Short mmCIF file of all heavy atoms in Angstrom, two decimals:
data_model
loop_
_atom_site.label_atom_id
_atom_site.label_comp_id
_atom_site.label_asym_id
_atom_site.label_seq_id
_atom_site.Cartn_x
_atom_site.Cartn_y
_atom_site.Cartn_z
N ILE A 208 -13.44 33.12 155.06
CA ILE A 208 -12.19 33.61 154.47
C ILE A 208 -11.80 34.95 155.08
O ILE A 208 -10.60 35.25 155.21
CB ILE A 208 -12.33 33.73 152.94
CG1 ILE A 208 -12.43 32.33 152.32
CG2 ILE A 208 -11.16 34.48 152.32
CD1 ILE A 208 -11.21 31.47 152.56
N GLY A 209 -12.78 35.75 155.48
CA GLY A 209 -12.47 37.03 156.12
C GLY A 209 -11.67 36.85 157.40
O GLY A 209 -10.68 37.56 157.64
N ARG A 210 -12.08 35.89 158.23
CA ARG A 210 -11.35 35.63 159.47
C ARG A 210 -9.96 35.08 159.19
O ARG A 210 -8.97 35.49 159.81
CB ARG A 210 -12.13 34.64 160.33
CG ARG A 210 -11.46 34.31 161.67
CD ARG A 210 -12.39 33.48 162.53
NE ARG A 210 -12.72 32.22 161.89
CZ ARG A 210 -13.68 31.40 162.32
NH1 ARG A 210 -14.39 31.72 163.38
NH2 ARG A 210 -13.94 30.26 161.68
N TYR A 211 -9.85 34.16 158.23
CA TYR A 211 -8.55 33.61 157.87
C TYR A 211 -7.63 34.68 157.29
O TYR A 211 -6.42 34.67 157.54
CB TYR A 211 -8.71 32.46 156.87
CG TYR A 211 -9.62 31.35 157.34
CD1 TYR A 211 -10.42 30.64 156.44
CD2 TYR A 211 -9.69 31.00 158.69
CE1 TYR A 211 -11.25 29.62 156.87
CE2 TYR A 211 -10.52 29.99 159.13
CZ TYR A 211 -11.30 29.30 158.21
OH TYR A 211 -12.13 28.29 158.64
N PHE A 212 -8.22 35.59 156.53
CA PHE A 212 -7.45 36.68 155.94
C PHE A 212 -6.85 37.57 157.03
O PHE A 212 -5.66 37.91 156.99
CB PHE A 212 -8.36 37.51 155.02
CG PHE A 212 -7.65 38.57 154.25
CD1 PHE A 212 -7.15 38.32 152.98
CD2 PHE A 212 -7.48 39.85 154.78
CE1 PHE A 212 -6.50 39.32 152.26
CE2 PHE A 212 -6.84 40.83 154.08
CZ PHE A 212 -6.34 40.58 152.80
N LEU A 213 -7.65 37.92 158.02
CA LEU A 213 -7.16 38.77 159.11
C LEU A 213 -6.13 38.02 159.95
O LEU A 213 -5.16 38.63 160.43
CB LEU A 213 -8.34 39.21 159.98
CG LEU A 213 -9.37 40.11 159.28
CD1 LEU A 213 -10.51 40.46 160.25
CD2 LEU A 213 -8.72 41.39 158.76
N ASN A 214 -6.32 36.71 160.13
CA ASN A 214 -5.31 35.92 160.85
C ASN A 214 -3.97 35.95 160.13
O ASN A 214 -2.91 36.11 160.76
CB ASN A 214 -5.78 34.48 161.00
CG ASN A 214 -6.98 34.34 161.93
OD1 ASN A 214 -7.29 35.25 162.70
ND2 ASN A 214 -7.64 33.21 161.87
N SER A 215 -4.01 35.83 158.82
CA SER A 215 -2.77 35.86 158.04
C SER A 215 -2.10 37.23 158.11
O SER A 215 -0.88 37.32 158.22
CB SER A 215 -3.06 35.51 156.57
OG SER A 215 -3.43 34.16 156.43
N VAL A 216 -2.91 38.28 158.06
CA VAL A 216 -2.35 39.64 158.15
C VAL A 216 -1.65 39.82 159.49
O VAL A 216 -0.54 40.37 159.56
CB VAL A 216 -3.46 40.68 157.95
CG1 VAL A 216 -2.94 42.09 158.29
CG2 VAL A 216 -3.97 40.67 156.52
N LEU A 217 -2.26 39.36 160.57
CA LEU A 217 -1.67 39.49 161.90
C LEU A 217 -0.36 38.72 161.99
O LEU A 217 0.68 39.27 162.42
CB LEU A 217 -2.66 38.99 162.95
CG LEU A 217 -2.13 38.91 164.39
CD1 LEU A 217 -1.81 40.30 164.91
CD2 LEU A 217 -3.15 38.21 165.30
N VAL A 218 -0.38 37.45 161.60
CA VAL A 218 0.81 36.60 161.75
C VAL A 218 1.94 37.09 160.85
O VAL A 218 3.09 37.23 161.28
CB VAL A 218 0.45 35.14 161.43
CG1 VAL A 218 1.72 34.28 161.36
CG2 VAL A 218 -0.50 34.59 162.49
N VAL A 219 1.64 37.39 159.60
CA VAL A 219 2.68 37.80 158.66
C VAL A 219 3.26 39.16 159.04
O VAL A 219 4.47 39.38 158.92
CB VAL A 219 2.12 37.82 157.22
CG1 VAL A 219 3.13 38.43 156.25
CG2 VAL A 219 1.75 36.41 156.78
N SER A 220 2.43 40.08 159.53
CA SER A 220 2.93 41.40 159.93
C SER A 220 3.93 41.28 161.08
O SER A 220 5.03 41.84 161.02
CB SER A 220 1.76 42.30 160.33
OG SER A 220 0.88 42.50 159.25
N LEU A 221 3.56 40.54 162.12
CA LEU A 221 4.44 40.40 163.29
C LEU A 221 5.68 39.58 162.97
O LEU A 221 6.78 39.91 163.41
CB LEU A 221 3.66 39.78 164.46
CG LEU A 221 2.51 40.62 165.01
CD1 LEU A 221 1.80 39.87 166.13
CD2 LEU A 221 2.99 41.97 165.50
N SER A 222 5.51 38.51 162.21
CA SER A 222 6.67 37.67 161.89
C SER A 222 7.63 38.39 160.96
O SER A 222 8.86 38.26 161.11
CB SER A 222 6.21 36.36 161.26
OG SER A 222 5.48 36.59 160.07
N THR A 223 7.13 39.16 160.02
CA THR A 223 8.02 39.92 159.13
C THR A 223 8.77 40.99 159.91
O THR A 223 9.97 41.20 159.69
CB THR A 223 7.22 40.56 157.99
OG1 THR A 223 6.53 39.54 157.25
CG2 THR A 223 8.13 41.32 157.05
N ALA A 224 8.07 41.67 160.82
CA ALA A 224 8.74 42.68 161.64
C ALA A 224 9.84 42.04 162.49
O ALA A 224 10.96 42.58 162.58
CB ALA A 224 7.72 43.38 162.53
N GLY A 225 9.55 40.91 163.10
CA GLY A 225 10.58 40.23 163.90
C GLY A 225 11.73 39.73 163.05
O GLY A 225 12.90 39.83 163.45
N THR A 226 11.42 39.21 161.87
CA THR A 226 12.48 38.73 160.97
C THR A 226 13.41 39.87 160.57
O THR A 226 14.64 39.71 160.57
CB THR A 226 11.86 38.10 159.72
OG1 THR A 226 11.03 37.00 160.10
CG2 THR A 226 12.94 37.60 158.78
N MET A 227 12.84 41.01 160.21
CA MET A 227 13.66 42.13 159.76
C MET A 227 14.48 42.71 160.91
O MET A 227 15.63 43.13 160.73
CB MET A 227 12.78 43.21 159.14
CG MET A 227 12.06 42.77 157.89
SD MET A 227 13.14 42.01 156.66
CE MET A 227 14.30 43.34 156.36
N LEU A 228 13.92 42.74 162.12
CA LEU A 228 14.66 43.26 163.26
C LEU A 228 15.87 42.38 163.59
O LEU A 228 17.02 42.85 163.62
CB LEU A 228 13.73 43.38 164.47
CG LEU A 228 14.40 43.83 165.78
CD1 LEU A 228 14.98 45.24 165.63
CD2 LEU A 228 13.40 43.77 166.93
N PHE A 229 15.60 41.10 163.83
CA PHE A 229 16.69 40.19 164.21
C PHE A 229 17.63 39.92 163.04
O PHE A 229 18.86 39.82 163.23
CB PHE A 229 16.11 38.87 164.75
CG PHE A 229 15.28 39.04 165.97
CD1 PHE A 229 13.98 38.55 166.04
CD2 PHE A 229 15.79 39.69 167.09
CE1 PHE A 229 13.21 38.71 167.17
CE2 PHE A 229 15.02 39.84 168.24
CZ PHE A 229 13.73 39.36 168.28
N GLY A 230 17.08 39.79 161.85
CA GLY A 230 17.91 39.51 160.69
C GLY A 230 18.85 40.66 160.35
O GLY A 230 20.02 40.44 160.02
N SER A 231 18.35 41.89 160.43
CA SER A 231 19.20 43.04 160.11
C SER A 231 20.30 43.22 161.16
O SER A 231 21.45 43.54 160.82
CB SER A 231 18.35 44.32 160.01
OG SER A 231 17.69 44.58 161.25
N MET A 232 19.98 43.00 162.44
CA MET A 232 21.01 43.13 163.47
C MET A 232 22.09 42.05 163.31
O MET A 232 23.29 42.33 163.41
CB MET A 232 20.37 43.04 164.87
CG MET A 232 19.52 44.25 165.22
SD MET A 232 19.02 44.32 166.97
CE MET A 232 18.02 42.85 167.08
N ALA A 233 21.67 40.81 163.05
CA ALA A 233 22.65 39.73 162.86
C ALA A 233 23.50 39.98 161.62
O ALA A 233 24.73 39.79 161.64
CB ALA A 233 21.93 38.39 162.76
N ALA A 234 22.87 40.41 160.54
CA ALA A 234 23.61 40.65 159.30
C ALA A 234 24.59 41.80 159.46
O ALA A 234 25.72 41.74 158.94
CB ALA A 234 22.63 40.94 158.17
N TYR A 235 24.20 42.83 160.18
CA TYR A 235 25.09 43.98 160.38
C TYR A 235 26.34 43.58 161.16
O TYR A 235 27.46 43.96 160.81
CB TYR A 235 24.34 45.09 161.10
CG TYR A 235 25.18 46.31 161.41
CD1 TYR A 235 25.52 47.21 160.40
CD2 TYR A 235 25.66 46.55 162.69
CE1 TYR A 235 26.30 48.33 160.68
CE2 TYR A 235 26.43 47.66 162.97
CZ TYR A 235 26.74 48.54 161.96
OH TYR A 235 27.53 49.64 162.22
N VAL A 236 26.16 42.82 162.22
CA VAL A 236 27.31 42.39 163.03
C VAL A 236 28.22 41.47 162.21
O VAL A 236 29.45 41.61 162.24
CB VAL A 236 26.82 41.67 164.31
CG1 VAL A 236 28.00 41.04 165.05
CG2 VAL A 236 26.09 42.66 165.22
N LEU A 237 27.65 40.54 161.47
CA LEU A 237 28.46 39.63 160.68
C LEU A 237 29.19 40.34 159.54
O LEU A 237 30.27 39.92 159.13
CB LEU A 237 27.58 38.52 160.10
CG LEU A 237 26.97 37.54 161.11
CD1 LEU A 237 26.00 36.59 160.43
CD2 LEU A 237 28.07 36.74 161.81
N ALA A 238 28.60 41.43 159.04
CA ALA A 238 29.20 42.14 157.91
C ALA A 238 30.24 43.17 158.33
O ALA A 238 31.22 43.39 157.61
CB ALA A 238 28.11 42.81 157.08
N ARG A 239 30.06 43.79 159.51
CA ARG A 239 30.90 44.95 159.86
C ARG A 239 31.90 44.68 160.99
O ARG A 239 32.80 45.49 161.20
CB ARG A 239 29.99 46.12 160.29
CG ARG A 239 28.84 46.41 159.38
CD ARG A 239 29.27 46.96 158.05
NE ARG A 239 29.87 48.27 158.16
CZ ARG A 239 30.04 49.11 157.14
NH1 ARG A 239 29.67 48.72 155.93
NH2 ARG A 239 30.59 50.28 157.30
N TYR A 240 31.75 43.56 161.69
CA TYR A 240 32.64 43.30 162.83
C TYR A 240 33.39 41.99 162.60
O TYR A 240 32.83 41.03 162.05
CB TYR A 240 31.85 43.22 164.13
CG TYR A 240 31.20 44.52 164.53
CD1 TYR A 240 29.90 44.81 164.13
CD2 TYR A 240 31.88 45.45 165.30
CE1 TYR A 240 29.29 46.01 164.48
CE2 TYR A 240 31.28 46.66 165.66
CZ TYR A 240 29.99 46.93 165.24
OH TYR A 240 29.39 48.13 165.58
N ARG A 241 34.63 41.97 163.01
CA ARG A 241 35.46 40.77 162.90
C ARG A 241 35.70 40.19 164.29
O ARG A 241 36.22 40.87 165.17
CB ARG A 241 36.80 41.12 162.24
CG ARG A 241 36.66 41.54 160.79
CD ARG A 241 36.23 40.34 159.94
NE ARG A 241 35.96 40.73 158.56
CZ ARG A 241 34.75 41.01 158.08
NH1 ARG A 241 33.70 40.94 158.90
NH2 ARG A 241 34.58 41.34 156.83
N PHE A 242 35.33 38.93 164.49
CA PHE A 242 35.51 38.27 165.78
C PHE A 242 35.62 36.77 165.52
O PHE A 242 35.30 36.28 164.43
CB PHE A 242 34.35 38.57 166.72
CG PHE A 242 32.99 38.25 166.16
CD1 PHE A 242 32.43 36.99 166.33
CD2 PHE A 242 32.28 39.21 165.45
CE1 PHE A 242 31.18 36.69 165.81
CE2 PHE A 242 31.03 38.91 164.92
CZ PHE A 242 30.49 37.65 165.10
N PHE A 243 36.08 36.06 166.52
CA PHE A 243 36.27 34.62 166.40
C PHE A 243 34.91 33.93 166.21
O PHE A 243 33.98 34.13 166.99
CB PHE A 243 36.96 34.06 167.64
CG PHE A 243 37.15 32.57 167.60
CD1 PHE A 243 38.16 32.01 166.84
CD2 PHE A 243 36.31 31.73 168.33
CE1 PHE A 243 38.34 30.64 166.79
CE2 PHE A 243 36.48 30.36 168.29
CZ PHE A 243 37.50 29.81 167.50
N GLY A 244 34.79 33.13 165.17
CA GLY A 244 33.54 32.44 164.88
C GLY A 244 32.62 33.18 163.96
O GLY A 244 31.50 32.72 163.71
N ASN A 245 33.06 34.32 163.43
CA ASN A 245 32.21 35.11 162.54
C ASN A 245 31.77 34.29 161.33
O ASN A 245 30.58 34.20 161.02
CB ASN A 245 32.97 36.38 162.11
CG ASN A 245 32.16 37.27 161.18
OD1 ASN A 245 31.83 36.87 160.06
ND2 ASN A 245 31.85 38.46 161.64
N ARG A 246 32.75 33.72 160.63
CA ARG A 246 32.43 32.96 159.43
C ARG A 246 31.63 31.71 159.75
O ARG A 246 30.74 31.30 158.96
CB ARG A 246 33.72 32.57 158.72
CG ARG A 246 34.48 33.69 158.06
CD ARG A 246 33.71 34.29 156.89
NE ARG A 246 32.76 35.33 157.31
CZ ARG A 246 31.89 35.90 156.49
NH1 ARG A 246 31.79 35.50 155.24
NH2 ARG A 246 31.09 36.84 156.93
N PHE A 247 31.89 31.08 160.88
CA PHE A 247 31.15 29.88 161.25
C PHE A 247 29.67 30.21 161.45
O PHE A 247 28.79 29.48 160.96
CB PHE A 247 31.73 29.28 162.52
CG PHE A 247 30.96 28.11 163.05
CD1 PHE A 247 31.06 26.86 162.44
CD2 PHE A 247 30.12 28.26 164.14
CE1 PHE A 247 30.34 25.78 162.92
CE2 PHE A 247 29.38 27.18 164.62
CZ PHE A 247 29.49 25.93 164.01
N ILE A 248 29.39 31.29 162.15
CA ILE A 248 27.99 31.69 162.38
C ILE A 248 27.32 32.03 161.06
O ILE A 248 26.16 31.67 160.81
CB ILE A 248 27.93 32.88 163.36
CG1 ILE A 248 28.48 32.47 164.72
CG2 ILE A 248 26.51 33.40 163.49
CD1 ILE A 248 28.58 33.62 165.71
N TYR A 249 28.05 32.75 160.20
CA TYR A 249 27.48 33.13 158.90
C TYR A 249 27.14 31.89 158.07
O TYR A 249 26.04 31.80 157.49
CB TYR A 249 28.48 34.00 158.16
CG TYR A 249 28.06 34.33 156.74
CD1 TYR A 249 27.06 35.24 156.48
CD2 TYR A 249 28.68 33.69 155.66
CE1 TYR A 249 26.67 35.53 155.18
CE2 TYR A 249 28.31 33.97 154.36
CZ TYR A 249 27.30 34.90 154.12
OH TYR A 249 26.92 35.17 152.84
N TYR A 250 28.04 30.92 158.03
CA TYR A 250 27.79 29.71 157.25
C TYR A 250 26.69 28.85 157.87
O TYR A 250 26.00 28.11 157.15
CB TYR A 250 29.08 28.90 157.10
CG TYR A 250 30.09 29.55 156.18
CD1 TYR A 250 31.41 29.72 156.57
CD2 TYR A 250 29.70 30.02 154.92
CE1 TYR A 250 32.33 30.32 155.73
CE2 TYR A 250 30.62 30.62 154.08
CZ TYR A 250 31.93 30.78 154.48
OH TYR A 250 32.83 31.38 153.65
N MET A 251 26.51 28.94 159.17
CA MET A 251 25.39 28.24 159.78
C MET A 251 24.06 28.83 159.32
O MET A 251 23.10 28.10 159.07
CB MET A 251 25.51 28.32 161.31
CG MET A 251 26.61 27.45 161.90
SD MET A 251 26.31 25.68 161.63
CE MET A 251 24.87 25.43 162.66
N PHE A 252 24.01 30.16 159.22
CA PHE A 252 22.81 30.79 158.68
C PHE A 252 22.59 30.38 157.22
O PHE A 252 21.48 30.03 156.81
CB PHE A 252 22.91 32.31 158.77
CG PHE A 252 22.48 32.88 160.10
CD1 PHE A 252 23.40 33.47 160.95
CD2 PHE A 252 21.16 32.84 160.49
CE1 PHE A 252 23.01 33.99 162.17
CE2 PHE A 252 20.75 33.37 161.70
CZ PHE A 252 21.67 33.94 162.55
N VAL A 253 23.65 30.45 156.44
CA VAL A 253 23.53 30.14 155.02
C VAL A 253 23.13 28.68 154.80
O VAL A 253 22.38 28.36 153.87
CB VAL A 253 24.85 30.46 154.29
CG1 VAL A 253 24.81 30.00 152.83
CG2 VAL A 253 25.16 31.94 154.36
N SER A 254 23.61 27.78 155.65
CA SER A 254 23.25 26.37 155.49
C SER A 254 21.76 26.14 155.65
O SER A 254 21.22 25.15 155.13
CB SER A 254 24.02 25.52 156.51
OG SER A 254 23.64 25.86 157.84
#
């Protein structure tokens, strides 16, 4: 369980960091900028 625990810590730490980086950048652009396809991209994420 010790090895599995450390594996989970590694995977979850890196995946959460990547999720927050890419997710925050995508959310910021969709929320603050207006461009063609903005709503379509947003609804694709929401779907």
Side-chain angles (χ1 to χ4, degrees):
I208 291 298
R210 180 172 61 191
Y211 304 147
F212 186 92
L213 296 178
N214 292 344
S215 291
V216 170
L217 173 65
V218 171
V219 172
S220 299
L221 295 178
S222 60
T223 302
T226 300
M227 296 310 301
L228 176 63
F229 298 126
S231 60
M232 290 191 296
Y235 178 75
V236 172
L237 293 174
R239 312 292 293 197
Y240 295 92
R241 293 292 174 264
F242 55 89
F243 178 77
N245 180 295
R246 290 293 86 187
F247 175 76
I248 297 174
Y249 174 75
Y250 289 130
M251 287 296 293
F252 275 112
V253 174
S254 64

